[in-house]
Amino acid sequence: MMPVFSWASLSPALPELFLVMLGMVMVLAGLSQSEGAARSLCRVAIGGFALALMMLLGVNWDSAPVMNGMFVMDHFAGFMKLLILLGLMAAVALSVRYLEQEEIDRFEYPILIVFAGLGMMLMVSAHNLLAMYVGLELQSLSLYVLAAFRRNHSKSSEAGMKYFVLGALASGMLLFGASLVYGYTGALGFDAISHALAGGKAGAGLVIGLVFLLVGLAFKVSAVPFHMWTPDVYEGAPTSVTALFAIVPKIAAMGLLMRLLTEPFGSIMPEWQQVVWVLSLASMAVGAFAGLVQNNIKRLLAYSSIGNMGYALVGVAAGTASGMGAVILYLAIYMIMAAGTFGIVLSMRRGGRAYEDIEDLSGLSRTNPLMAWTLAFLMFSMSGIPPLAGFFGKLFIFQAAIASQFYVLAVLGVLCSVVAAYYYLRVIKVMFFDDPLDALDSDLGFSLRAVVFLSIAFVLFFIFSPDTLVETSRNAAAALFAG
Amino acid sequence: MIGFPILSLMTFLPLVGALFIFSIRGDAALVARNARFSALYASGFTFLLSLFALSRFNKAEAEFQFVEKTDWFPALGISYHLGVDGISIFFIVLSAFLTPLCILASWESIKDRVKEYMIAFLVLETFMIGTFCALDTVLFYVFFEGVLIPMFIIIGVWGGPRRVYSAFKFFLYTLFGSVLMLLALLTLYFKAGTTDIAVLLENPVARDLQMWLWLAFFASFAVKMPMWPVHTWLPDAHVEAPTAGSVILAGVLLKMGGYGFLRFSLPMLPEASAYFAGMVYWLSIIAIIYTSLVALVQDDMKKLIAYSSVAHMGFVTLGIFTATAQGVQGGVFQMISHGIISGALFLCVGVVYDRLHTRDIGRYGGLVKNMPKYATVFMIFMLGSVGLPGTSGFVGEFLSLLGAFKVNALYAALSTTGIVLGAAYMLVLYRRVVFGPQDNGDAAAMPDIGMREAAIFAPLVLLVLVLGVFPNYVMDRVSPSAERMLALYNKANGIAAVEPAAGDDEGGIFP
């Protein structure tokens, strides 16, 4: 039967459709406006994301796949999109002042973010290997350009180039994996693949295809050993773009990974669990040990994000609904912490110049105590010390690992977190125990202050009512196992 | 019962004080003054509350009292569950007692960033009291581990020259042990399906699993305690921490290890505790003898007392793991007594350090001539540390040794040498600082203790003597809970409870 097209059937994709329109209108508006276009378009982007957020809350979170099964809007997709939109708003809010300070305030910036965001939202809703690839590429291409956004700066160009070349390689692998999966199951849709694998038996060809898919996605979430690009791109890209990289795309890539592993490949879990196990342990270890020797705070945070993805992968490896729920919670908490941390990194300026070394924070507790305490709590939270939010992220991850009897992974994981604690503490040490340098510039701008304030408030007060978020992320994960 | 949630109030009153101090603005001198007074009031009220709780504590009851329970993570069955029994109530009182003294002791010696200092101490108090109140494993871990944040800042910001190294060492050592404990707690949760300590106590897990869990708990508590050979963070942390930091470290934080053994290892993992007891005895004996010898050769006063702490904690672990009524009660009493005495000793060091800014024993001498009151106070605590009958130090050590003797006379004999060595290093310290010729002019010119310092020492002196003479006030309350815990332990290990109640036992010794 030929499905009859109706506009109403597209309603679950309303936020995405809105973002498409928004992006195109912004292109036109940007072209027709000259002075101050970036600033006003950034505001439009934030407003647009807020509108999309409201639409997202309005659509049905339990709808059947639409567009011939390409696009699904379930609780998982809904919650991940919620996080993505919030993250995008934070990332744009952090950028506004920075773009002007660095004189890279061109109108393409917010537009690229809108398109990247659209790609990310398609990724977490993808229900077909092709839809997955299209979403991923839309996101990646926008991000490559953003990494090289300061085009007259060699490091930024280098970052864009590296990201692009390695990213293209990863996309190629992903596509190759997808073609193998198609070849061995004869299906591209997630439901159909899952149906073909229902017996739990997978041939070698299919497993190879799955591994290639995993490799491609491991690159996107910067899991070791596919992490090489991360420190260079984080360091070279303009800091506001680094903030974006740290806050949002990983949520989308991790969401895609979770859906891919649980929905189409859920029945051959043992095949991918061991791969994820290795990725996760390697990421935690490299994230912890390589971070020890970094002096540039952006590189440090790059390794920190590698390590954090390792922890998230522990929950994925567990392969259970509670494990995936823990991952979603972890990603949400990590996103908020990263937003606050980058807010502070973006305000490391003296006399109008940006500074990026950890040592540049020396004695911050004397020159700007509020900022120092904020960063200190964020660092304690990142290292997983209770009663801060970061602890609960790790708690539920490891609880899931224990429940799936991954004892070795859990033990090695927590030990890595002790190693990583050292470099987080080092940041605190520099701020609190060292002699002060000149004060940092104090004109931070309202939007940056707001992001940092919300972030630290969440980190400090999560403990008092953790219920809603825990519950929502568990519901979201349950949707993955519903079908 | 009391009509209001006294445990929550005690736990969070200091935090409210900290928030209040945080909100103080204005002229630096005024802020410092207000911060000091606010901290003193907040911690003082907490202490009064703790005394009130102690007065309402039903000593005949072995179960948890003043219990509070509300949902926290209802989806996961994790709840906010507080309660105290005879073992934990005294640690709470001890924490609440030492904090105001610490704030008084820092009144003049801390001049820099007073506001932050007071906030850190009050937050620390919240975490300490919370640790001893918590009856949910996740809540316990939150408080237990949360202590690291304020302590790291206290050592690192207001510490001595090597503060950075010490703060890192303290933090990472403790974190290393704690994360393993976290996994053990999660495994217990997974196996038993609950994080409620009261329920976990009644439902021991399988024996094989107990072994692993015990080791994980041990990693945490042995570091915290600290036991030989993972004690090396303690001398560093003690030496570099400001006086009040050392007092809290020795007075309360070390006790978290012992409390953990009593709350988790022994009753929840009874078979593993019996299995590993031999190892604990030997580690304790090594700690007692080895660290006493190390203490003998120290030139730094704080380091000497730090090593003596390790030795005294050796008696605690020895006593606890004998799993006899005397040993366990002795362990608890020794922890309380050591909390008071070692805290007081660090305050004694603080008094002379504030005047001369050195901890080198050789820089002092003949203080009895210019500081007679100080010499008296110091003597009382020194003798308490040695374990002279009549001071609180005697009771704990004696009972621990009695417990050890029941297990094996050799253990008791070896540990007793620790008491002799303890007398040796403490007397040497006392002689070199207080007696002898006044070779150093500046030391000879130091004024005696003033009113503020006297006010700090008076309650400590009183407690050392009163607890030494009337230990039964504590024992009566500890004993039902200790008995209950031992009953769980014995039941699991198939030992018939033949021992008479400890209260009767001691009747002859301490009438």
Side-chain angles (χ1 to χ4, degrees):
Chain A
M1 187 188 78
M2 189 67 191
V4 182
F5 178 79
S6 84
W7 283 106
S9 72
L10 288 182
S11 67
L14 189 63
E16 283 84 353
L17 294 174
F18 170 72
L19 284 187
V20 174
M21 298 298 166
L22 179 73
M24 291 196 243
V25 171
M26 281 169 77
V27 173
L28 293 178
L31 285 172
S32 62
Q33 204 184 355
S34 52
E35 276 302 299
R39 174 174 271 265
S40 52
L41 282 182
C42 278
R43 294 210 174 118
V44 170
I46 295 177
F49 289 137
L51 264 176
L53 195 68
M54 280 185 243
M55 293 178 193
L56 178 70
L57 295 174
V59 303
N60 179 7
W61 283 24
D62 274 318
S63 55
V66 295
M67 302 184 200
N68 294 325
M70 288 273 181
F71 182 96
V72 66
M73 178 65 204
D74 52 9
H75 271 269
F76 176 74
F79 188 58
M80 295 307 265
K81 284 180 197 175
L82 190 86
L83 292 181
I84 289 170
L85 285 172
L86 287 173
L88 288 169
M89 283 161 73
V92 179
L94 289 177
S95 311
V96 182
R97 177 72 58 107
Y98 179 84
L99 294 176
E100 284 164 10
Q101 284 164 335
E102 295 292 307
E103 294 174 356
I104 47 172
D105 49 337
R106 288 192 299 276
F107 74 91
E108 293 93 337
Y109 185 91
I111 297 173
L112 284 167
I113 292 186
V114 168
F115 281 119
L118 176 63
M120 293 177 213
M121 290 172 70
L122 289 175
M123 282 161 73
V124 292
S125 263
H127 203 238
N128 180 298
L129 290 175
L130 284 181
M132 168 190 100
Y133 186 75
V134 170
L136 192 67
E137 281 305 280
L138 178 57
Q139 178 237 20
S140 302
L141 286 170
S142 312
L143 293 184
Y144 302 147
V145 181
L146 279 172
F149 202 72
R150 189 159 29 177
R151 56 192 168 199
N152 51 5
H153 197 280
S154 63
K155 267 198 169 174
S156 178
S157 309
E158 181 195 328
M161 200 58 180
K162 262 188 188 157
Y163 194 21
F164 174 67
V165 171
L166 290 172
L169 183 70
S171 294
M173 293 206 188
L174 190 85
L175 209 50
F176 182 56
S179 70
L180 278 174
V181 170
Y182 178 61
Y184 282 89
T185 60
L188 284 169
F190 286 0
D191 284 338
I193 296 175
S194 153
H195 192 70
L197 296 174
K201 278 276 176 213
L206 185 93
V207 172
I208 292 173
L210 174 60
V211 169
F212 271 104
L213 280 175
L214 270 175
V215 168
L217 286 176
F219 173 89
K220 302 291 176 192
V221 299
S222 70
V224 177
F226 310 102
H227 67 288
M228 306 294 187
W229 59 277
T230 318
D232 293 341
V233 172
Y234 268 52
E235 189 190 357
T239 310
S240 64
V241 177
T242 313
L244 171 72
F245 285 175
I247 299 170
V248 223
K250 292 194 172 154
I251 294 190
M254 199 57 101
L256 175 54
L257 183 71
M258 282 192 276
R259 188 187 289 283
L260 189 71
L261 292 178
T262 49
E263 285 187 351
F265 299 108
S267 53
I268 52 167
M269 194 190 288
E271 307 285 349
W272 53 259
Q273 260 183 328
Q274 27 180 322
V275 181
V276 178
W277 197 103
V278 172
L279 288 175
S280 128
L281 179 59
S283 305
M284 290 189 293
V286 169
F289 284 95
L292 295 178
V293 292
Q294 304 303 325
N295 288 319
N296 180 299
I297 194 151
K298 283 160 79 180
R299 285 189 86 84
L300 179 86
L301 290 170
Y303 282 105
S304 149
S305 90
I306 292 171
N308 275 300
M309 287 307 120
Y311 294 107
L313 286 171
V314 172
V316 178
T320 54
S322 72
M324 300 293 169
V327 176
I328 298 171
L329 181 68
Y330 191 87
L331 290 173
I333 293 173
Y334 172 70
M335 176 185 98
I336 296 171
M337 295 191 299
T341 310
F342 271 96
I344 293 188
V345 173
L346 280 165
S347 27
M348 285 170 62
R349 306 180 73 87
R350 285 195 186 85
R353 252 203 78 202
Y355 287 81
E356 292 183 354
D357 280 345
I358 297 172
E359 302 297 327
D360 291 319
L361 289 167
S362 290
L364 189 67
S365 66
R366 288 181 183 277
T367 54
N368 192 340
L370 209 56
M371 196 196 274
W373 281 104
T374 307
L375 187 55
F377 279 121
L378 287 166
M379 290 292 118
F380 277 128
S381 178
M382 286 241 190
S383 46
I385 307 296
L388 306 170
F391 164 72
F392 292 96
K394 288 206 168 77
L395 175 76
F396 293 120
I397 288 281
F398 286 113
Q399 187 217 332
I402 295 280
S404 294
Q405 314 211 337
F406 284 147
Y407 296 118
V408 176
L409 188 61
V411 169
L412 294 174
V414 292
L415 293 183
C416 286
S417 84
V418 177
V419 176
Y422 174 82
Y423 59 69
Y424 294 123
L425 286 184
R426 204 177 126 217
V427 175
I428 301 171
K429 173 233 156 197
V430 166
M431 291 190 298
F432 281 84
F433 310 165
D434 287 1
D435 292 329
L437 299 169
D438 295 340
L440 299 177
D441 295 353
S442 55
D443 57 329
L444 304 177
F446 168 76
S447 52
L448 187 141
R449 276 176 204 272
V451 170
V452 174
F453 174 79
L454 291 175
S455 161
I456 190 69
F458 174 84
V459 165
L460 288 177
F461 299 119
F462 174 75
I463 183 170
F464 292 112
S465 70
D467 215 28
T468 327
L469 196 56
V470 173
E471 202 78 26
T472 321
S473 40
R474 287 170 67 88
N475 284 341
L480 286 179
F481 291 83
Chain B
M1 285 308 289
I2 308 173
F4 58 96
I6 189 161
L7 296 182
S8 292
L9 209 59
M10 271 197 288
T11 307
F12 292 106
L13 187 64
L15 196 63
V16 172
L19 287 176
F20 177 74
I21 296 175
F22 177 75
S23 69
I24 300 177
R25 292 277 181 279
D27 171 54
L30 197 65
V31 168
R33 190 184 138 79
N34 286 339
R36 288 188 185 110
F37 276 105
S38 314
L40 187 63
Y41 291 145
S43 56
F45 274 121
T46 310
F47 177 54
L48 290 181
L49 274 177
S50 76
L51 287 183
F52 181 66
L54 186 62
S55 73
R56 289 300 184 88
F57 186 82
N58 179 359
K59 66 176 181 177
E61 176 71 55
E63 290 294 321
F64 293 105
Q65 306 185 26
F66 310 131
V67 174
E68 297 167 30
K69 195 169 183 180
T70 26
D71 280 346
W72 188 26
F73 292 83
L76 300 151
I78 300 171
S79 56
Y80 173 80
H81 188 182
L82 300 182
V84 287
D85 67 356
I87 296 173
S88 52
I89 181 88
F90 287 103
F91 292 115
I92 294 169
V93 177
L94 183 67
S95 314
F97 170 65
L98 286 177
T99 310
L101 292 185
C102 284
I103 285 163
L104 273 178
S106 317
W107 209 258
E108 279 157 18
S109 57
I110 301 293
K111 297 183 179 66
D112 189 27
R113 301 201 241 186
V114 178
K115 186 173 150 183
E116 282 97 331
Y117 183 86
M118 295 300 164
I119 292 176
F121 258 90
L122 290 179
V123 171
L124 186 62
E125 187 179 12
T126 287
F127 288 143
M128 291 188 303
I129 294 179
T131 306
F132 296 121
C133 288
L135 284 188
D136 181 280
T137 53
V138 174
L139 189 64
F140 170 81
Y141 188 82
V142 165
F143 286 126
F144 184 85
E145 189 83 331
V147 165
L148 294 185
I149 297 179
M151 205 62 210
F152 177 75
I153 300 280
I154 288 171
I155 298 176
V157 174
W158 294 278
R162 287 174 71 240
R163 61 208 160 90
V164 175
Y165 170 78
S166 305
F168 271 82
K169 196 169 176 181
F170 160 75
F171 194 101
L172 295 175
Y173 249 79
T174 323
L175 184 64
F176 169 79
S178 304
V179 292
L180 294 176
M181 175 178 77
L182 177 65
L183 292 183
L185 291 175
L186 288 174
T187 312
L188 272 178
Y189 174 35
F190 169 59
K191 292 289 177 195
T194 177
T195 54
D196 193 320
I197 290 178
V199 178
L200 285 171
L201 286 174
E202 309 285 343
N203 300 297
V205 291
R207 189 172 190 274
D208 291 347
L209 185 64
Q210 280 193 20
M211 301 297 167
W212 291 103
L213 295 183
W214 192 92
L215 287 173
F217 277 116
F218 186 71
S220 176
F221 299 142
V223 168
K224 203 87 177 182
M225 194 88 202
M227 291 177 73
W228 185 87
V230 285
H231 65 282
T232 61
W233 63 271
L234 185 73
D236 286 314
H238 265 324
V239 167
E240 299 305 326
T243 302
S246 300
V247 172
I248 288 291
L249 204 54
V252 183
L253 297 202
L254 304 191
K255 278 66 197 176
M256 287 184 182
Y259 174 73
F261 282 132
L262 288 168
R263 183 64 82 226
F264 293 96
S265 300
L266 240 51
M268 283 186 204
L269 311 167
E271 293 166 71
S273 295
Y275 180 81
F276 286 110
M279 180 184 86
V280 175
Y281 297 149
W282 282 110
L283 289 180
S284 307
I285 291 166
I286 293 173
I288 292 170
I289 297 175
Y290 168 77
T291 52
S292 297
L293 288 171
V294 174
L296 261 177
V297 296
Q298 296 303 319
D299 285 323
D300 183 315
M301 294 163 120
K302 271 185 151 182
K303 221 168 196 165
L304 190 147
I305 300 170
Y307 279 110
S308 87
S309 288
V310 182
H312 284 122
M313 288 298 111
F315 286 104
V316 175
T317 43
L318 185 72
I320 289 175
F321 276 90
T322 60
T324 57
Q326 293 81 2
V328 170
Q329 294 183 28
V332 174
F333 198 91
Q334 168 80 342
M335 282 196 273
I336 296 163
S337 145
H338 177 261
I340 300 166
I341 293 175
S342 70
L345 284 171
F346 279 115
L347 287 170
C348 286
V349 175
V351 166
V352 290
Y353 182 79
D354 283 349
R355 288 163 172 69
L356 214 55
H357 296 286
T358 175
R359 295 179 307 263
D360 190 352
I361 298 174
R363 288 282 286 106
Y364 297 95
L367 294 188
V368 68
K369 297 205 181 78
N370 55 326
M371 301 175 78
K373 284 186 226 157
Y374 175 74
T376 316
V377 170
F378 194 3
M379 184 187 71
I380 292 168
F381 297 130
M382 180 271 293
L383 292 176
S385 177
V386 168
L388 193 79
T391 64
S392 63
F394 171 72
V395 184
E397 279 180 10
F398 181 80
L399 284 176
S400 303
L401 287 174
L402 203 64
F405 198 81
K406 282 192 165 182
V407 173
N408 188 327
L410 177 67
Y411 297 155
L414 285 172
S415 342
T416 313
T417 57
I419 296 191
V420 179
L421 289 169
Y425 61 71
M426 286 315 290
L427 288 170
V428 166
L429 169 72
Y430 192 73
R431 181 184 61 76
R432 289 178 65 189
V433 172
V434 174
F435 296 133
Q438 289 196 307
D439 290 335
N440 303 303
D442 45 0
M446 294 194 300
D448 205 346
I449 50 178
M451 279 300 287
R452 182 180 57 87
E453 287 159 335
I456 298 171
F457 283 122
L460 290 164
V461 170
L462 200 68
L463 265 180
V464 169
L465 297 177
V466 168
L467 285 181
V469 184
F470 304 109
N472 275 350
Y473 183 80
V474 174
M475 288 305 182
D476 287 348
R477 283 158 182 78
V478 172
S479 120
S481 300
E483 292 290 329
R484 174 168 162 271
M485 188 207 72
L486 283 175
L488 291 169
Y489 176 88
N490 289 338
K491 192 177 122 205
N493 283 303
I495 303 167
V498 286
E499 294 185 41
D504 311 339
D505 233 23
E506 287 140 28
I509 310 167
F510 309 112

